Amino acid sequence: MTDSISEAGSTCEAVIAAADFPVFVVTTRAGEETSGCLVGFTAQVSINPLRFLVGLSQRNHTHRVAQRAERLNVHLLGQDQVELAALFGSETGDEIDKFARCAWHPDSTGLPVLSAAAGWFGGKILERHDFGDHTVMLLAPDTGVAPPADVETLRFLMVDHLEPGHDA
Ligand SMILES: Cc1cc2nc3c(=O)[nH]c(=O)nc-3n(C[C@H](O)[C@H](O)[C@H](O)COP(=O)(O)O)c2cc1C
């Protein structure tokens, strides 16, 4: 047993970090405005129907655009793509245009797809829930490109040294 809430919190974070979960780049678009950031707070939460959660920090530029967007795209990166992860995780759309610094193309709905991603899927935002400093968005995935079977996925412990563009 831990003896304080803050100790329990750091124990929880240590357990989650040790699980070395995958990180993704989420992109979105509302009107003419595009945005995207690195995310670790994700989970598939239903098989049939297929449902996926993304947690976006309310301080992020991506959050502001996603609040007005209909869809999100979720990109899987390879272990050799720390630089792309740093662009989306350590820079903010409040200050730079990330999409001027990487290769991308629009999908059939106009959302950015990162051309270098190992794989990606996109989905409609069905629900938004405010859980405190993050808003969780529930997606219904309906498009995308599968990664190669031998992909070596970029995971949290390879990017935990990155300084986020915004505090959580
Ligand atoms: C390892 C790592 C994991 C992150 N996970 C999340 C996350 O789950 N959700 C989120 O909103 N931001 C997360 N961030 C922070 C954003 O990617 C970062 O603040 C980014 O610069 C925000 O860009 P924006 O302001 O253009 O949206 C993470 C950053 C790092 C380095």
Side-chain angles (χ1 to χ4, degrees):
M1 282 279 284
T2 50
D3 57 7
S4 74
I5 289 174
S6 71
E7 203 179 322
S10 51
T11 301
C12 171
E13 286 174 346
V15 169
I16 292 168
D20 202 13
F21 50 86
V23 291
F24 299 90
V25 172
V26 166
T27 62
T28 191
R29 177 187 179 120
E32 290 308 302
E33 198 171 13
T34 52
S35 195
C37 70
L38 188 71
V39 299
F41 293 174
T42 65
Q44 182 180 347
V45 290
S46 173
I47 300 168
N48 188 16
L50 183 56
R51 296 288 183 261
F52 191 85
L53 291 180
V54 173
L56 288 178
S57 166
Q58 292 162 8
R59 295 195 177 187
N60 289 355
H61 183 269
T62 307
H63 181 271
R64 288 202 298 285
V65 177
Q67 286 290 73
R68 296 182 288 111
E70 290 184 6
R71 303 177 58 85
L72 300 180
N73 281 348
V74 179
H75 302 80
L76 184 71
L77 302 187
Q79 291 185 0
D80 57 348
Q81 293 182 302
V82 173
E83 204 176 320
L84 190 57
L87 173 63
F88 280 88
S90 293
E91 304 287 350
T92 172
D94 288 328
E95 292 169 4
I96 68 157
D97 178 2
K98 299 179 192 182
F99 296 95
R101 301 186 186 202
C102 67
W104 65 278
H105 54 276
D107 68 11
S108 61
T109 70
L111 258 70
V113 172
L114 302 184
S115 304
W120 68 278
F121 64 85
K124 190 170 161 47
I125 302 169
L126 298 182
E127 293 179 27
R128 295 175 175 82
H129 295 276
D130 178 348
F131 282 124
D133 53 15
H134 283 63
T135 299
V136 168
M137 304 199 182
L138 179 68
L139 303 185
D142 58 11
T143 187
V145 173
D150 60 352
V151 63
E152 294 194 89
T153 300
L154 187 65
R155 293 179 175 276
F156 175 71
L157 293 177
M158 292 191 69
V159 290
D160 67 340
H161 62 284
L162 295 178
E163 194 71 37
H166 276 292
D167 290 338

